Amino acid sequence: MVSEISPEDVKAKLEDDDIQIVDIRSESEYEQGHIPGAINVPMARLATEIDEYDWGDDVIVACPIGQSSIQAARLIGSYEDVDNDAVASMEGGYREWEYDLETGSADDAGD
């Protein structure tokens, strides 16, 4: 079973811990606004690209309403290089996120 974490707890972890946020929405949705520091791995590509990432010790998956992120968290947690207990889904997804968002693509971050 995938654990869920509230947006408030995600925000607190962003300020205090070394966490990895995985945004599984489409690239266009991601570019319109995402949790600061989140990486974008659209759900449709997650299964084929899962081995291309260095998954952290604390991974939180975010989606529009907190449903598909549960499936994505299960998939990431089942990957051999990931501790299943270290992966969680953000409860309520972006619908419940009330904090600041970054805009732009992941490519813009390096500029």
Side-chain angles (χ1 to χ4, degrees), residues 63-107:
C63 72
I65 61 171
Q67 293 299 311
S68 54
S69 58
I70 292 172
Q71 295 170 348
R74 265 192 211 114
L75 179 62
I76 294 169
S78 70
Y79 186 58
E80 62 189 32
D81 291 344
V82 176
D83 176 5
N84 187 45
D85 293 335
V87 184
S89 168
M90 186 171 79
E91 191 173 43
Y94 276 91
R95 178 181 61 190
E96 299 296 324
W97 182 261
E98 300 175 351
Y99 308 101
D100 290 340
L101 297 173
E102 288 181 338
T103 56
S105 70
D107 295 337

Side-chain angles (χ1 to χ4, degrees), residues 15-59:
E15 295 170 0
D16 299 333
D17 297 332
D18 182 24
I19 65 168
Q20 185 174 31
I21 306 290
V22 181
D23 187 325
I24 60 167
R25 300 175 303 157
S26 70
E27 289 179 38
S28 61
E29 289 174 302
Y30 175 84
E31 290 171 3
Q32 290 174 15
H34 53 271
I35 296 171
I39 62 169
N40 183 223
V41 187
M43 184 68 169
R45 298 193 331 237
L46 184 60
T48 58
E49 296 181 6
I50 197 165
D51 61 346
E52 296 178 19
Y53 295 91
D54 291 325
W55 300 104
D57 292 333
D58 198 355
V59 179

